[in-house]
Every structure is written in structure tokens, then in C-alpha cells.
Amino acid sequence: MKKPYIVGIDLGTSNTVVAYSAPGKQQVELFYIEQLVGPGQVAARPLLPSVRYHPAAGEISPGELQLPWSTAASGEPVITGRLALDLGAQVPGRLVASAKSWLSHAAVDRLAAILPWGAEDDVARVSPVGASASYLAHVRAAWLHRFPTAPLEQQQVILTVPASFDEGARALTLAAARQAGLPNLRLLEEPQAAFYDWLFRHQQQLAGELSETRLLLVCDVGGGTTDLTLIQVAITDGEPTLTRIGVGDHLMLGGDNMDLSLAHLVESRLPASEGRLSAARFSQLTARCRAAKEQLLTTGAPDAVLLTLLGGGARLIGGARTVELQRDEARQVLVDGFFPRVAPDEPLQQRRAAIVEFGLPYPADPAITRHVAAFLRRHAAAARQALADTGERQEIPVPDTLLLNGGVFRADALAERLQATLASWRGASLRVLHNENPDVAVARGAVAYALVRQGHGRRIGGGSARSYFLVLEDQAQPPRGICLLPRGSEEGHEIPLPERSFSLRLGQPVRFHLASSVADTSYLPGQIATLDEDEFVRLPPIATVVQAPAGSSQREVRVQLTTSMTEVGTLELHCVSNEDTARRWLLEFQLRGEGASEAPVSPTLPARFADAVQWVERIFGASSQPVESKDVRRLRGQLEHLLGKRDEWEMPVLRALFDALMQRARRRRRSPEHERLWLNLAGFCLRPGLGDALDEWRIEQLCEILPQGIQYVSESQNWSEWWTLWRRAAGGLPPAIQERLLAELSPWLRSEPTKTRSRLPAAIAGSHDDMLRLVASLERLPIERKVEVGDWLLERLRKASEKPLGWWALGRLGARQSLYGSAHQVVPPEVAGRWLEAMLASDWKKVEPAAFAATQIARLTGDRSRDLPEEAREATLARLATINASASWIAQVTTVVELDKADERRAFGESLPAGLRLIGESRAS
């Protein structure tokens, strides 16, 4: 069989880089990627900018976009490469950038078409996964054009990812690769790749080069992330042994943040008449600041550069504004802002520090030096051991050697400041390993890693960068977990958990909650640990459906868990049958909407839960014995007697009760009382439709009864409970179901109150308020549907006869911060601003819901594509002051905060399950 090429791909936030080694060779070469560099101009460059430009119709002729290879026909033209970057700096609102940062942003649907963020309606959109896939697809096509007999998918491909990427972000990266036609590849952490590049270039004199090194810090600051790794160097028989002993948490902090800081500075100097720039124009300004940054931080930089921001629309030229940015002030913002001189024990700032742009939640503290200090403190024990340091000389153990990587460190001023800060902590200078080209080192190092695996060079040991834990379902506080895979476990080695068995019900989903830790604490498989939230990170839940063998009547199976770190570089878990180890089921991470909510660690079910299920069975079970109406009405009271007050039921109790009710759903129609009670309890136990790993499966079951409707159509209370059920489950309802509900509701909501004697319209009309609450809760509706509903609702509110509840509904439809939906589904600010004007014109003393609705529409998110203009927020604040509004309402309009419990209940229409909390964007990073 013909030997494959070895290909390393650095899918970076700012640039994509490819390196390779020809079959049988031990030489690493850079692959120059052909791309558009101007209209009709193609050139091969070492860097492919990780951006897409979505041109307007007729903006560029198809002939000027021709690449050397044929591209699949699609509905909308897309430009990648250098030309895309240049066009994005000239034309606002059409550039997709930083897709890699979105892959780790759990508060949005990363599989939805949401980019460019904040673009106008006529601009085509793409998902973060789709954008990443398009860059890889471009690389694949360029490779095939140069090597037509060696398709990229048939080569040995290594794709790099940040060491701090969690399992969800890694899985999405693999999904992007599969979408690009690269189903088989291996993942490698970027800081390791950078060091492999250095090792490969110094392999002939490695022992001498590292003879004085005991602990190496790799600091990789790219366009979107700061990635930190510690590597121990031990000399054995004169040769270095390399072991990775620590990796940092995910930090969405890099060159993009620096560009944003300069853009905010320049924006503040624009004429007051400009106001706050739109998201599209601010994106254009940020691109200009990126170019200015590169100019002003280079050796021999000019004293100042001029930045010209074009006007919008008809004012494209006449509305242009030019601002001068001086070298010294730019360096002060970037050097002192991102690499300040700090003490090694200085804690991270926890306040929200202003930079929240384009929907991405950046860290509250932009100081990379403080993050480095926190990283070294976390890994102090392992670092002291590597340095043989007793701790008497240094406040924290500081590495003796430093390797800098990433485009940020092309600026000597930034590299020198970090070196000086580390030296001040250490009390002596550090040795800095020379990185001749930080832009391409990761791609080159990926190839070097593959060569090392073939026996050509020194390998970095250390195994898994994290310890993984199964969260135990017990009453312990703080929660506990059992170690599945200790930190340092080598890839390909499967670790069973024989001490614990699980009974799985066949044909139904099973889920487990996991947590991970990068701390250097040593754990053994099966060891129980306390999951301190400062040290452990919750992962997306994992789930599977265990199907029974064909022809088998078996209903349950006893299994054990096995865990391994795959050769691809991802965590893999299986359920393995105790009776037949050949029967095994892969557990997969649930990635959609994982950041929408967070449930506490599940306690065991209450002691009398079985008695509660017996009561449910008595009312809704298969028994042919008649049940009196009074017994049906008593069920809620009996459940509270057995399980405690229902407002205090936690997620496991609620979902277990829902499962019991769903199993008996066929018998909900025995009487009007049965139907009302079942709808009420089912909705209460499933609210808000998300938060548990199996809720997607539960929603699928629930949606099966939607076409059935209700049995007792003349009962207004049954209609009320029917609409309330769907409102309570709305957080988990897919878009298609939400649109279906809207279609069913609209005719009744839009009609005038009926005077007919027909009982059906009268019964439905009696549930008008519940229908309105449901419509307002459908956050996954297309934006145009929300606008349509809001506009006709506003017309109704102009009538004195309309109930004040309509204002609450309008506020929910126009809220700047979704309660469960993705941020890209928020109504545009110009529409919400029009609704706000009507709210401000109403009498809040008479119509109290209008005040809270106005607060939700004027709420500050920090994302200029959603936030209303400052004058609109100031007008809202002035009105809130006249009614002595609560401090929490004022805070929502003035700063980026999460809802407190009272406002959360008011926004949802009722309380969330005990312990469940929504994850806002400020906490999702």
C-alpha cells in the first residue's frame, strides 16, 4: 500500500495553516494554500485567513471568484481567504470571523446559521461548525489541486485544537472535519504542537539545549484563545524525558480582544453625531484596528496611523470618518491592559470588564499575566516537584524556561512584558526558547508529532490532560464524583469501573453527568472525590439508548462503565454488559443547547417515591376499577404529602414523576378531571422543557400527543391546562413544533371575543390568557414570526379593553436576553425599540406589567447587535425612577447582570424547578 503524506492542520481563530511531510521523508514543509487575494487574482500563501465574506448580489462577478478548482454549486457565493479579509475591512456586516471561538460558546446553538453575528436580514448566514468546515474544505480542495493522486482524506491528518477545549468543543471540531470530507484524523493540543516543532528543529542537539531546563511553560496566545501548558523536563541517562503536567482552563482571550479594545478607543473619538456604531460598522472598525495593531506593534512602527471608517448606505463616502491612533497609546492599551505588571498572588478580577462583543462572552479579566499567575498557583504542587523547589524562595513556583507561540507574540513589546513579569516572580531571568515563526509552528509541530510517533524524535508524555469523574447521585453537599479516567492516562488504554454496576432499562435513554478537572491532584480509578466547583468543570451530559437484542423479551441489563482516551484525542465511554462483554453501547455527548440551563447534581429519589408512583398508577393506571372524582382531585395533595411541597421538588423527582405520567398518558382521557390533572402535573414536572440530559427524549414523547389534542373540548379549564402544558415545556420544543403551535393559536388570539353560543369557541376563548403566555414563550420562532405577533399584539394593546397581560407578552417577545433560546433568535433592536416607545407612552401606575416589559426590552447585554440605543435605555431608566422600580430592574438596564429569582419567575410566568438555574452568557465562557 502506498505510504500516505503526513499533514498537520492548524485550524486557527485568525488563520488556517497547513504543513506536511512527503511519504518516506523526515522533512516538514509548509503547504502554500491557493486562495483569492484580489478580484480575479489567485495566489498561494502560507496563511489562509479563517474568515468568510458573504457578498451582496451583484457585488462581485462570478468570473472574479474563480479558483483553480471547481466548487460545488450553491445558492449564495462565498469568498474565503485573503480577499475575504480585505473585503470585510471595507464593507460592514458581511464577514464571518472567529468561528473557532463560537465552537466553545455553549449559550448559542453552534449548529445553527448565526454568523455573521448581527448582520442584516439580506446577508446569508452560516453556523460556526459550517464556517469551520468551509475552511477545511478549502484546504482539502487546494491540496487535491496540488496532489491530484493523493486526496487529503486518504492521508494521515493531524488537526490541532486548544488544550483547553472541552469535550463538547472537540466533538464539534470533529463534526466540522467530517462535514468537510475529512472523517479520519487525529486531534493534537496546540501548545504541545508548538513544542513539537521546536523539538523537531533541535533534535540533533536536544540534550544540550534542554540540559538546564526542568520546567517549561508554553504560552500560546492566538487570535481567540490563551492556551497554557506546563511540561516537565527530567534528564535520565543524559537524555531528556518530557511529561506534560498541566493545562489551563479555556480562556477566550487573544488578539481579537486586543482589536476590540482599540476599536472601543477609536469609537469613543468619533463625532457625537455618529452615536454608538452598529454591530456591522463596529465589525468593520475592528478589522481596521487589527491592521493598525500589527503596524503599531512592529519594530520601527510609525508614530501614528489613520483609521478611516466608511459611512453606511448612501453616506458611504460622504459619511466617512478618520481618527488618528498613536503608537504610544496603542501600546499602553495593549501592553498594560493585557500584560500588566502584577504580583504573583494577585487574584483574577471577577467583575464584568466591558468587552462583550458580537455575542461572544469574553473573560471578565483581560489581563493575561493574572491568568498565568492563577494557572501557576493551581499547578504549584506539580511545578515544585518538577523544579525540586522547597518553596522557600518563590511565592509560586515559576518555570525556568518559556516558549511563546501565537501571532500575538510577533509583537516584541508583548513578548518582552510577559518575560519580564515572569522573571520578576522568579527572581531571575527565564530561558526563552526561540520560536522562529509563531504563525506556522503549530501546523509544523503537528507533522513533527506524527513523525515522532513513527520513532523519529522525542515524545511528550503525560496522557490525558484532565481527570474525568462520574457525578454520583447521592445527597452529599458539595457533590461527589467517582474517578473514571485519572489525569495522565495514556491514549488507547481502556479503564473499567468494576466496583459499580448499573441497571439499564432497554429501549429507553440512559444518561450520566460528568465532570472534569485539570488540577494536578492524583486520583485512582474508582476513587471518590468531592467536586469543588472552583476546581471541577461540568461537561455536557452523555447519553445512549440501550436496545434489546432482536427477538429478546429482556427488559433490563446490568452494565459497567469503561472509559478511554481515544487515539483521536477524545474521551470515549461505553456501557458494557456484565453478562456478555461483547455487548457494549457508546455513550455520546449531548451538544445542542447544553449551555441553556444547569441542574444541580442529582440526589437520590425520596424514600417514599415508590408510594407516589403507586398513587399515580391508582389514578392513571390500567386498573378497570372506577376512580371517583374526589380521588382524582386528591392526587396532588397526596404527592405533596409523600414528597414534600411541590415547589421544592428537585429535578430528579420532577422528571421521574413525568416519566411515570407519560407511561400512563393513554389513560388521561378517562374523565375531564383526569385530563386536567394529567396535563397540569405533566407540564409542571417537565418545566421548563430542558435542564436534564434526557429532556430531548421526553419532549419527543410529549410531542406525539400534540396532534391528539384534548378530549373534552368544551371544558375551558382543560384548554387552559393544555396550553399551559406546552408553555411549560417550551424551552425544549424544537422550532417546527413551536411554529405549529403558533399556527394553531393565531386564529383564536387574533379573533375578537366571540358572542356565539357554540361551546367550543367559548371554551377556547376562556383560555385566552394561557394562549397568550404560550405564544410569548416560543423563543425559537423565526424572527419574522415574532415581529408579526408582536405588531398585532401592540395593535390590540392600543385598545383600552385589552388585558395588561399583553404587555408582559410583548416584553417577552422583544426581550434582549432570551431565557432559553439562542441569542441569534432575538428580535432586532429597531423593532424592539418601536415596541418600547409604546410601553413608555403607557401609564405604568395603571399598567404595571408594562414597566417590567420595558425593562426586558431595554436590558443591557453588552452585545451591540441586540442592545437598544443608549437614549432608549436612559428614557426607560427615567420612567423606572418615577415608579420607584426595584434595584434589580435598574441594574438590568445599566449593566450586564443575570435575573434574580423574583424576576426570573416573573419572566417565565412561574418558578423554575428547585436548584435549576439558567446559564447566562456571562457565565458560559
Side-chain angles (χ1 to χ4, degrees):
M1 181 178 177
K2 185 178 180 181
K3 286 187 176 181
Y5 285 82
I6 297 172
V7 183
I9 303 177
D10 175 13
L11 181 61
T13 306
S14 300
N15 295 292
T16 296
V17 186
V18 181
Y20 70 98
S21 178
K25 301 288 184 66
Q26 296 180 35
Q27 180 179 355
V28 180
E29 300 182 55
L30 207 57
F31 179 73
Y32 280 66
I33 306 169
E34 291 191 273
Q35 57 192 282
L36 288 165
V37 297
Q41 300 176 12
V42 176
R45 300 283 176 84
L47 307 182
L48 174 73
S50 300
V51 296
R52 292 164 48 115
Y53 181 79
H54 296 181
E59 181 180 347
I60 301 178
S61 68
E64 294 180 316
L65 302 181
Q66 187 63 49
L67 288 163
W69 53 86
S70 61
T71 55
S74 60
E76 300 285 347
V78 172
I79 303 171
T80 55
R82 183 69 212 188
L83 176 59
L85 189 65
D86 293 341
L87 290 172
Q90 299 169 19
V91 183
R94 294 186 172 272
L95 186 72
V96 174
S98 304
K100 184 176 179 178
S101 295
W102 289 89
L103 292 181
S104 58
H105 182 17
V108 299
D109 184 350
R110 291 158 288 182
L111 299 175
I114 61 177
L115 303 177
W117 189 256
E120 299 295 333
D121 292 341
D122 62 339
V123 179
R125 285 175 167 79
V126 67
S127 72
V129 170
S132 300
S134 68
Y135 311 144
L136 293 173
H138 183 107
V139 166
R140 179 171 170 248
W143 176 274
L144 185 63
H145 178 69
R146 181 170 172 186
F147 300 109
T149 62
L152 187 57
E153 60 272 22
Q154 297 177 15
Q155 312 311 308
Q156 182 182 350
V157 179
I158 296 90
L159 180 63
T160 62
V161 293
S164 55
F165 256 20
D166 67 10
E167 295 306 310
R170 291 178 188 229
L172 289 166
T173 302
L174 290 173
R178 288 192 297 271
Q179 187 174 322
L182 299 173
N184 302 309
L185 47 75
R186 178 187 296 272
L187 299 182
L188 177 66
E189 296 169 3
E190 290 165 4
Q192 282 201 64
F195 189 36
Y196 271 118
D197 177 55
W198 187 91
L199 292 170
F200 188 80
R201 290 186 288 105
H202 296 82
Q203 58 185 319
Q204 300 302 324
Q205 62 273 16
L206 195 58
E209 291 281 354
L210 295 178
S211 60
E212 301 299 321
T213 295
R214 294 297 174 266
L215 184 63
L216 167 70
L217 170 64
V218 182
C219 183
D220 185 356
V221 184
T225 57
T226 290
D227 225 359
L228 304 172
T229 293
L230 281 176
I231 297 175
Q232 178 181 355
V233 181
I235 305 298
T236 306
D237 297 330
E239 292 295 326
T241 300
L242 310 171
T243 307
R244 191 265 318 280
I245 63 172
V247 299
D249 290 326
H250 186 68
L251 289 175
M252 200 180 293
L253 189 58
D256 287 354
N257 307 69
M258 299 178 186
D259 303 336
L260 287 169
S261 292
L262 292 178
H264 281 286
L265 175 64
V266 172
E267 183 184 32
S268 69
R269 295 180 178 173
L270 292 172
S273 58
E274 286 288 331
R276 193 169 190 246
L277 296 178
S278 67
R281 295 191 71 203
F282 189 76
S283 175
Q284 179 195 30
L285 176 59
T286 302
R288 299 288 174 90
C289 287
R290 181 178 299 118
K293 175 192 70 179
E294 294 171 357
Q295 284 184 269
L296 294 174
L297 290 181
T298 57
T299 303
D303 293 336
V305 296
L306 297 178
L307 289 92
T308 299
L309 182 67
L310 299 179
R315 298 173 62 247
L316 185 63
I317 303 300
R321 296 288 184 264
T322 299
V323 175
E324 182 180 82
L325 183 62
Q326 296 182 354
R327 178 187 58 202
D328 291 344
E329 64 181 353
R331 293 192 175 195
Q332 181 179 6
V333 167
L334 301 181
V335 178
D336 293 337
F338 290 88
F339 292 91
R341 294 184 178 92
V342 297
D345 59 351
E346 186 168 321
L348 293 171
Q349 295 179 0
Q350 298 302 319
R351 62 183 177 83
R352 168 63 50 180
I355 298 183
V356 182
E357 285 294 348
F358 308 125
L360 287 169
Y362 295 114
D365 191 341
I368 292 173
T369 42
R370 271 194 289 268
H371 286 286
V372 172
F375 169 72
L376 294 177
R377 290 196 298 270
R378 168 172 285 186
H379 295 282
R384 289 191 195 283
Q385 185 176 358
L387 292 166
D389 177 16
T390 62
E392 296 176 358
R393 290 174 38 218
Q394 301 173 9
E395 294 182 57
I396 58 172
V398 179
D400 51 35
T401 306
L402 176 66
L403 175 63
L404 299 176
N405 193 63
V408 162
F409 291 119
R410 288 199 309 267
D412 292 340
L414 301 180
E416 290 167 1
R417 171 60 66 84
L418 179 58
Q419 295 170 36
T421 303
L422 288 167
S424 69
W425 297 347
R426 185 169 182 258
S429 61
L430 286 77
R431 182 186 176 207
V432 180
L433 302 184
H434 177 60
N435 188 348
E436 63 180 11
N437 194 339
D439 283 325
V440 304
V442 167
R444 288 175 49 90
V447 178
Y449 162 75
L451 291 172
V452 166
R453 287 178 57 85
Q454 296 178 357
H456 307 295
R458 187 72 55 180
R459 186 170 182 179
I460 303 170
S464 171
R466 294 168 173 79
S467 297
Y468 292 91
F469 296 81
L470 171 69
V471 178
L472 293 177
E473 298 187 353
D474 59 19
Q475 299 283 1
Q477 290 297 329
R480 303 186 305 158
I482 185 168
C483 183
L484 297 173
L485 187 93
R487 182 172 167 272
S489 299
E490 293 296 337
E491 64 185 36
H493 177 58
E494 190 170 82
I495 299 177
L497 196 65
E499 296 84 0
R500 289 184 177 264
S501 292
F502 303 86
S503 181
L504 305 184
R505 184 174 296 172
L506 298 177
Q508 295 194 16
V510 58
R511 62 90 178 93
F512 298 96
H513 288 288
L514 298 184
S516 70
S517 173
V518 297
D520 53 19
T521 308
S522 295
Y523 297 99
L524 296 174
Q527 181 177 344
I528 294 177
T530 300
L531 304 183
D532 186 333
E533 65 178 15
D534 292 333
E535 184 174 312
F536 292 83
V537 176
R538 293 294 294 271
L539 298 177
I542 55 174
T544 191
V545 176
V546 181
Q547 300 291 359
S552 172
S553 60
Q554 187 179 8
R555 301 187 63 182
E556 290 189 343
V557 61
R558 299 285 293 179
V559 300
Q560 294 177 351
L561 284 179
T562 65
T563 314
S564 65
M565 185 58 60
T566 69
E567 290 191 350
V568 172
T570 57
L571 182 71
E572 188 169 273
L573 286 91
H574 284 90
C575 288
V576 181
S577 170
N578 288 4
E579 299 174 358
D580 180 5
T581 56
R583 295 179 63 196
R584 49 199 294 139
W585 299 269
L586 176 66
L587 294 164
E588 297 182 318
F589 284 97
Q590 309 299 295
L591 298 175
R592 268 193 191 270
E594 74 200 47
S597 64
E598 184 176 271
V601 176
S602 301
T604 54
L605 294 173
R608 302 195 66 183
F609 184 78
D611 296 336
V613 174
Q614 287 182 2
W615 268 92
V616 174
E617 172 67 19
R618 178 179 175 183
I619 303 301
F620 296 107
S623 173
S624 59
Q625 296 296 321
V627 180
E628 296 184 13
S629 294
K630 66 177 183 179
D631 290 329
V632 178
R633 292 192 294 270
R634 287 176 57 199
L635 178 58
R636 271 182 295 217
Q638 288 295 332
L639 293 178
E640 292 202 61
H641 174 71
L642 294 168
L643 305 176
K645 294 181 179 180
R646 74 175 197 162
D647 283 343
E648 297 175 1
W649 294 349
E650 295 190 337
M651 186 71 78
V653 176
L654 291 164
R655 296 310 192 252
L657 274 177
F658 175 84
D659 294 342
L661 289 162
M662 202 67 217
Q663 291 168 17
R664 298 161 176 84
R666 291 176 56 191
R667 299 175 182 88
R668 69 186 186 276
R669 297 181 164 189
R670 286 176 169 168
S671 71
E673 291 83 4
H674 277 84
E675 187 171 60
R676 279 197 296 273
L677 179 62
W678 190 93
L679 295 171
N680 177 276
L681 285 176
F684 183 82
C685 291
L686 191 55
R687 75 192 203 287
L690 75 175
D692 184 87
L694 296 184
D695 280 349
E696 184 175 351
W697 171 71
R698 294 186 177 102
I699 290 292
E700 288 176 1
Q701 288 185 299
L702 183 66
C703 289
E704 291 178 3
I705 75 170
L706 180 58
Q708 301 169 15
I710 65 172
Q711 178 76 17
Y712 301 96
V713 295
S714 297
E715 299 283 340
S716 62
Q717 187 59 38
N718 289 41
W719 279 109
S720 179
E721 295 292 357
W722 173 253
W723 303 127
T724 300
L725 165 69
W726 297 106
R727 173 181 62 79
R728 285 170 160 168
L733 298 178
I737 296 296
Q738 296 202 2
E739 290 200 64
R740 178 172 178 171
L741 284 166
L742 177 63
E744 293 185 10
L745 288 162
S746 291
W748 299 107
L749 282 174
R750 293 185 182 226
S751 63
E752 294 296 327
T754 180
K755 297 181 180 180
T756 177
R757 295 182 180 181
S758 169
R759 296 186 64 188
L760 177 57
I764 297 179
S767 62
H768 177 274
D769 289 359
D770 299 292
M771 288 190 284
L772 192 56
R773 290 189 182 96
L774 170 55
V775 169
S777 301
L778 301 178
E779 292 187 354
R780 293 196 178 96
L781 289 174
I783 289 176
E784 57 270 22
R785 296 281 81 76
K786 291 183 181 180
V787 174
E788 180 183 334
V789 171
D791 283 345
W792 66 250
L793 181 57
L794 184 59
E795 286 302 311
R796 293 285 292 264
L797 286 167
R798 299 186 192 281
K799 301 177 182 179
S801 60
E802 190 67 18
K803 293 182 179 180
L805 177 66
W807 292 109
W808 172 88
L810 191 61
R812 181 80 189 267
L813 286 166
R816 300 298 81 205
Q817 180 70 62
S818 298
L819 294 180
Y820 65 80
S822 179
H824 77 282
Q825 295 166 316
V826 169
V827 168
E830 55 270 19
V831 174
R834 179 161 47 80
W835 296 349
L836 178 63
E837 290 176 2
M839 294 174 183
L840 294 174
S842 64
D843 187 345
W844 289 3
K845 293 182 179 179
K846 295 180 180 179
V847 190
E848 190 269 345
F852 183 72
T855 302
Q856 298 312 295
I857 287 183
R859 185 177 174 185
L860 184 66
T861 69
D863 177 7
R864 67 182 67 225
S865 68
R866 285 180 284 161
D867 288 341
L868 266 59
E870 186 175 353
E871 54 269 23
R873 296 202 309 276
E874 289 177 350
T876 305
L877 287 170
R879 286 296 305 278
L880 289 173
T882 64
I883 63 168
N884 296 318
S886 70
S888 67
W889 293 13
I890 301 294
Q892 289 174 48
V893 182
T894 56
T895 188
V896 180
V897 296
E898 296 180 18
L899 295 178
D900 61 22
K901 285 295 181 183
D903 289 338
E904 190 176 79
R905 178 176 185 133
R906 184 188 291 265
F908 262 109
E910 65 182 321
S911 64
L912 288 171
L916 183 72
R917 57 179 177 174
L918 298 176
I919 295 181
E921 288 159 83
S922 61
R923 294 178 51 240
S925 54

